[in-house]
Amino acid sequence: KDIDLTASEYTALEVRCRYKYDSAYADHISVYFTTDSDGTMSESMSIKLPLSSADSEGEWETLRADLTGIPTWEGIIKQLRFDPFNAVGSMEIDYIRFMK
């Protein structure tokens, strides 16, 4: 189902999570989106949230991404896809929210 989020009303994405995955380096969360003018999910239509390590050691971390620097974040956001790290592991999400 479409979410119909007006991109200009939201300047940041915030995710509170804890995680542990098998990797020698810190990865990132990717959030892909489509708009009313572009229904393709691609790297240019994504938000990156860097993780500080491969293990939050059970502690909650709040990650925040500035959406104002993403040129494709415009119009009406129709769909979202949340991709955690690219490794074997686990992630718990407390919340995902867009900030005005």
Side-chain angles (χ1 to χ4, degrees), residues 38-97:
D38 189 343
T40 306
M41 290 188 186
S42 64
E43 288 303 312
S44 67
M45 305 284 284
S46 69
I47 305 159
K48 304 293 187 208
L49 296 127
L51 298 168
S52 61
S53 68
D55 187 351
S56 68
E57 298 183 6
E59 297 297 317
W60 291 101
E61 289 185 9
T62 302
L63 311 172
R64 191 172 195 158
D66 180 3
L67 304 177
T68 62
I70 301 173
T72 54
W73 184 259
E74 61 183 11
I76 305 299
I77 307 304
K78 302 300 274 182
Q79 296 178 335
L80 297 170
R81 185 181 88 207
F82 182 88
D83 288 359
F85 42 80
N86 190 21
V88 175
S90 63
M91 177 176 278
E92 291 180 70
I93 305 294
D94 184 32
Y95 63 78
I96 300 172
R97 63 181 168 203

Side-chain angles (χ1 to χ4, degrees), residues 2-7 33-36 72-80 98:
D2 291 343
I3 60 170
D4 294 330
L5 190 79
T6 303
F33 59 91
T34 64
T35 67
D36 55 337
T72 54
W73 184 259
E74 61 183 11
I76 305 299
I77 307 304
K78 302 300 274 182
Q79 296 178 335
L80 297 170
F98 288 94

